[in-house]
């Protein structure tokens, strides 16, 4: 049924009062409503509310204000990453830990071993640490067997270095360069260190990205000693999934 001229005039008075979602909805009612609602004047009004300066140009940057609003009115959803170009099977991590310049841990850890984490948290750990290990953020965790102990006194220094090697090219990148475990979180039984990643020069605008490494420890019956049962590494400032971590590692300055 065709709309009367009076009815069209009523709709043309009402449509400018609608927001973008409602105006788009009325376009699905019937062909006549769609033809009226698609009038670019209505969409220019909406664009003028959202981006007033854009309407000062004689012509919109796109073909119509309708297309402009439809394209940019809401934030983009998180886009799915393409599959990473490397896998953990391609990587080996070289982890060295010192206490008072004495080497207490040194191992070459395949990426396939480092990345899964604890399937079952060890018994005897505190509830806060257990909650941390079961969190949703992606963390690479290595169980340490046998455990090793590090002094916790004020004058005791513990440090860590981590290198990573790509087995496909035999190139090496630095992750952590002998950083100190400056922060001891006694409430969750973690000692934390970090370093800023060396990102390849082909990504000149990426900087200030940190790699975090934690020593996970239990009570040892001695408040001045931590018995380390696990090592954990993450990039949770910027990477919170396996795919994001692999893309980040791929962007390191490989030598």
């Amino acid at each position: 049924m065709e709309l009367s001229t009076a009815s069209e005039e009523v709709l043309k008075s009402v449509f400018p009062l609608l927001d973008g979602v409602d105006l788009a909805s009325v376009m699905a009612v019937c062909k006549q409503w769609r033809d009226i609602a698609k009038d670019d004047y209505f969409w220019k009004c909406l664009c003028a509310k959202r981006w007033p300066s854009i309407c000062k140009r004689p012509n919109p940057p796109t073909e119509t204000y309708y297309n402009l609003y439809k394209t940019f009115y809401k934030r983009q959803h998180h886009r799915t990453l393409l599959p990473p170009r490397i896998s953990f099977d391609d990587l080996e991590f070289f982890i060295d830990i010192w206490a008072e310049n004495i080497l207490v841990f040194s191992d070459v850890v395949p990426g396939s071993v480092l990345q899964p984490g604890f399937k079952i948290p060890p018994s005897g750990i505190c509830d806060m640490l257990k909650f941390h290990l079961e969190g949703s953020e992606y963390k690479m965790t290595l169980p340490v067997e046998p455990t090793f102990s590090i002094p916790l006194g004020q004058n005791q220094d513990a440090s860590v270095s981590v290198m990573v090697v790509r087995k496909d090219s035999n190139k090496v990148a630095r992750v952590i360069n002998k950083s100190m475990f400056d922060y001891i979180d006694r409430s969750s039984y973690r000692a934390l260190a970090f370093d800023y990643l060396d990102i390849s020069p082909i990504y000149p605008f990426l900087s200030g990205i940190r790699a975090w490494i934690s020593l996970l420890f239990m009570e040892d019956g001695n408040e001045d000693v931590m018995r380390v049962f696990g090592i954990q590494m993450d990039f949770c400032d910027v990477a919170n999934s396996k795919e994001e971590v692999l893309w980040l590692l791929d962007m390191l300055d490989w030598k």
Side-chain angles (χ1 to χ4, degrees):
M1 182 177 177
E2 295 291 334
L3 292 174
S4 67
T5 302
S7 297
E8 286 191 16
E9 293 304 316
V10 170
L11 293 177
K12 288 180 180 179
S13 299
V14 172
F15 284 177
L17 305 178
L18 302 178
D19 62 23
V21 174
D22 291 335
L23 187 58
S25 297
V26 303
M27 293 173 71
V29 173
C30 63
K31 182 179 183 303
Q32 287 84 1
W33 282 39
R34 175 180 174 83
D35 290 342
I36 296 171
K38 206 169 181 180
D39 187 325
D40 215 39
Y41 169 75
F42 302 138
W43 297 98
K44 183 177 182 179
C45 293
L46 289 169
C47 289
K49 294 177 182 177
R50 180 67 65 91
W51 312 288
S53 57
I54 206 95
C55 297
K56 294 181 178 180
R57 295 183 59 183
N59 297 304
T62 59
E63 182 183 354
T64 64
Y65 285 104
Y66 170 68
N67 286 335
L68 178 67
Y69 192 88
K70 184 174 64 173
T71 303
F72 297 111
Y73 86 97
K74 63 180 180 180
R75 294 182 185 274
Q76 293 289 328
H77 294 296
H78 181 71
R79 296 178 179 176
T80 303
L81 290 173
L82 293 172
R85 296 181 294 188
I86 57 174
S87 72
F88 278 105
D89 292 332
D90 300 324
L91 304 174
E92 287 183 329
F93 292 84
F94 295 74
I95 303 175
D96 299 294
I97 298 173
W98 293 264
E100 286 295 288
N101 292 319
I102 298 173
L103 189 64
V104 294
F105 179 88
S106 181
D107 203 358
V108 180
V109 183
S112 57
V113 172
L114 182 61
Q115 54 107 1
F118 288 106
K119 293 182 180 178
I120 301 176
S123 60
I125 66 174
C126 72
D127 290 340
M128 188 172 291
L129 179 53
K130 184 177 179 180
F131 176 79
H132 168 78
L133 293 175
E134 294 175 345
S136 59
E137 294 178 324
Y138 190 81
K139 305 176 184 73
M140 297 172 285
T141 308
L142 174 69
V144 174
E145 296 179 358
T147 62
F148 62 90
S149 296
I150 290 182
L152 277 175
Q154 290 185 350
N155 297 322
Q156 302 294 331
D157 293 327
S159 60
V160 58
S161 289
V162 179
M163 306 282 279
V164 59
V165 172
R166 292 181 63 151
K167 293 189 288 186
D168 57 346
S169 63
N170 213 33
K171 288 187 175 182
V172 182
R174 185 175 66 185
V175 180
I176 293 179
N177 186 27
K178 205 159 187 183
S179 293
M180 306 300 297
F181 288 99
D182 290 328
Y183 179 63
I184 310 297
D185 184 353
R186 293 180 181 271
S187 63
S188 64
Y189 291 85
R190 291 187 297 151
L192 292 91
F194 75 89
D195 200 357
Y196 292 98
L197 293 176
D198 292 327
I199 301 295
S200 169
I202 67 174
Y203 306 105
F205 300 108
L206 293 181
S207 63
I209 298 175
R210 292 178 293 185
W212 288 92
I213 192 162
S214 305
L215 300 180
L216 313 176
F217 60 94
M218 297 181 180
E219 289 184 343
D220 193 68
N222 183 344
E223 291 186 357
D224 293 329
V225 175
M226 57 182 175
R227 180 161 59 90
V228 178
F229 69 87
I231 299 170
Q232 191 173 76
M233 187 165 61
D234 67 72
F235 311 96
C236 288
D237 292 343
V238 295
N240 287 289
S241 69
K242 177 180 176 180
E243 290 74 20
E244 290 173 347
V245 167
L246 287 170
W247 273 109
L248 182 60
L249 292 174
D250 189 41
M251 291 189 289
L252 293 179
D253 191 14
W254 296 92
K255 303 290 189 183

